[in-house]
Amino acid sequence: MKKSIKILLTGSSGMVGRCILFNKKSNRYRFLTPRRKELDLLSYSKVYSYIKKNKPDIIIHAAGIVGGIQKNLREPMKFLVENIEMGKNVILSAHLNKIKKLINLSSSCVYSPKSKGPLKEDQILEGKFEPSNEAYAYAKVFNSLLCNYINKKNNKYNYKTLIPCNLFGEHDSFDPKKSHLIASIIFKINRAIKTRKNTVEIWGDGLSRREFMFTRDFSDFIYFSIKNFNKLPHNMNVGMGYDFKIKDYYKKVKKVLDWKGNFTYNLDKPSGQKRKLLNIKNQKILGWKPKYSLEKSIKITNEYYLRNEKNNN
């Protein structure tokens, strides 16, 4: 019987980590999914020892401090330091323990708002980052550069960085103080329905554009990446190939939830980066594309929210 591939997945309790594990393809692999009590990613010695002891065939680094605009603005030091520290510990420990394959998850915020889109992988570090997520962007760039330096130092190492567009789905955080856009909209409109409120507030003018992928699709791409590992470029965008205005996402959630209210705009609040649509040429060359429509994805995510409503309020 063929030995199954052993994968160390960091961040297994997060949104992306859970979707990877709950994907039906997960039973083809042997996963190591240590929680924080078992493995503190902020401790280099503990990470190094864990990898040395368990010797995974592949590492997927999905752990991180994440959140929407509010959380990014409120805790920039935490976003910068802890995301760098976790990435450094995992990537260096993998290298020194001679783990040849690693998938590092990045973010579309690594692109400057001044870069012309659709954004290509060679435009990273082309200009200043969006102030509302600057700290997170610097940390993600640090981790991807470390992977690239290891690849250049020894071609036997194959460390890949995936740069997904914005993600949403089951296991997301719906707390408005730290949630991303679609989860926040679902929370706010459900709250409006429950309290019979006729209006929901949108931060900024609602004209900034965002590209969102359902986490079920992204987890499917992770398994596609494992299977096609050697075909992946060192840095690769993963996206939908199209985006919508923020106010249009509010309208789509409103329609799916059949809410009859209206939106107001708080122009004193930040709108975030105007646009960060990804160029997905490499994704198309590999022949992978997402399966879920936005409406279906919102419906599934809202059903998840309602099943777990007590934990979301």
Side-chain angles (χ1 to χ4, degrees):
M1 186 176 177
K2 188 177 179 182
K3 180 184 175 183
S4 62
I5 294 173
K6 187 194 297 185
I7 301 174
L8 167 59
L9 173 64
T10 68
S12 61
S13 62
M15 177 180 69
V16 173
R18 289 187 186 186
C19 285
I20 291 171
L21 293 177
F22 292 158
N23 189 299
K24 62 183 180 180
K25 296 175 183 176
S26 64
N27 58 14
R28 302 175 189 176
Y29 304 94
R30 193 150 53 103
F31 277 94
L32 301 171
T33 57
R35 297 297 182 98
R36 184 173 297 180
K37 290 181 179 179
E38 184 182 353
L39 177 60
D40 181 3
L41 296 178
L42 293 174
S43 168
Y44 174 77
S45 61
K46 290 178 181 178
V47 174
Y48 178 89
S49 297
Y50 184 92
I51 293 174
K52 183 178 181 180
K53 177 184 177 182
N54 290 281
K55 297 179 174 61
D57 299 297
I58 301 175
I59 295 174
I60 300 175
H61 180 47
I65 306 298
V66 297
I69 289 179
Q70 290 190 60
K71 191 174 180 183
N72 271 272
L73 291 171
R74 193 169 61 247
E75 303 178 63
M77 190 164 69
K78 184 181 183 71
F79 271 76
L80 177 67
V81 175
E82 294 194 13
N83 281 310
I84 285 179
E85 197 68 17
M86 285 188 281
K88 174 178 69 68
N89 291 343
V90 171
I91 296 165
L92 283 182
S93 294
H95 176 234
L96 295 176
N97 278 296
K98 300 182 179 179
I99 307 301
K100 300 299 194 299
K101 294 182 178 182
L102 182 145
I103 296 175
N104 170 53
L105 301 189
S106 185
S107 164
S108 59
C109 71
V110 298
Y111 294 106
S112 169
K114 294 184 178 180
S115 295
K116 294 182 179 180
L119 300 162
K120 299 178 181 179
E121 292 87 349
D122 60 7
Q123 290 176 281
I124 297 172
L125 289 177
E126 191 175 66
K128 290 184 177 180
F129 299 124
E130 164 62 36
S132 62
N133 53 29
E134 178 185 78
Y136 187 66
Y138 272 115
K140 288 299 181 181
V141 168
F142 175 94
N143 294 339
S144 64
L145 285 174
L146 183 54
C147 288
N148 290 341
Y149 292 154
I150 289 171
N151 292 332
K152 289 177 181 179
K153 182 179 178 181
N154 188 332
N155 60 17
K156 290 183 180 179
Y157 288 83
N158 219 349
Y159 288 7
K160 314 285 189 175
T161 294
L162 300 180
I163 308 166
C165 63
N166 294 287
L167 301 172
F168 78 101
E170 298 145 301
H171 314 291
D172 208 341
S173 170
F174 295 88
D175 181 343
K177 293 181 180 179
K178 57 184 179 182
S179 60
H180 289 102
L181 180 66
I182 294 182
S184 174
I185 299 172
I186 288 173
F187 176 90
K188 289 195 286 186
I189 292 182
N190 270 292
R191 178 59 64 86
I193 292 171
K194 192 172 183 178
T195 60
R196 297 183 181 181
K197 189 178 178 182
N198 293 321
T199 60
V200 162
E201 182 182 88
I202 297 176
W203 275 28
D205 56 17
L207 298 178
S208 293
R209 303 182 72 92
R210 290 293 179 269
E211 178 183 13
F212 269 94
M213 177 181 285
F214 191 35
T215 44
R216 287 191 189 183
D217 277 324
F218 186 63
S219 71
D220 186 68
F221 184 79
I222 293 293
Y223 288 101
F224 178 89
S225 299
I226 294 169
K227 190 175 180 180
N228 297 275
F229 196 88
N230 293 329
K231 296 180 182 179
L232 301 178
H234 287 153
N235 295 303
M236 181 177 168
N237 291 334
V238 184
M240 304 297 291
Y242 55 86
D243 57 7
F244 295 102
K245 293 175 183 176
I246 285 176
K247 68 178 184 179
D248 290 332
Y249 283 110
Y250 275 86
K251 291 176 183 177
K252 288 179 185 295
V253 175
K254 173 183 175 177
K255 183 177 180 181
V256 171
L257 273 61
D258 194 29
W259 178 60
K260 306 301 182 184
N262 297 300
F263 301 115
T264 60
Y265 297 86
N266 187 340
L267 300 180
D268 293 327
K269 298 293 185 179
S271 299
Q273 191 166 324
K274 288 299 179 185
R275 195 179 194 190
K276 45 181 179 176
L277 178 65
L278 300 180
N279 182 307
I280 56 170
K281 180 180 177 180
N282 288 321
Q283 177 183 307
K284 289 180 178 179
I285 290 172
L286 289 174
W288 182 88
K289 59 182 179 180
K291 300 174 183 176
Y292 287 85
S293 69
L294 179 59
E295 289 74 14
K296 180 68 173 176
S297 305
I298 290 172
K299 184 175 184 294
I300 294 171
T301 305
N302 184 61
E303 288 170 351
Y304 172 84
Y305 170 86
L306 293 175
R307 289 196 305 271
N308 297 274
E309 191 170 8
K310 288 183 180 179
N311 299 325
N312 295 323
N313 290 290

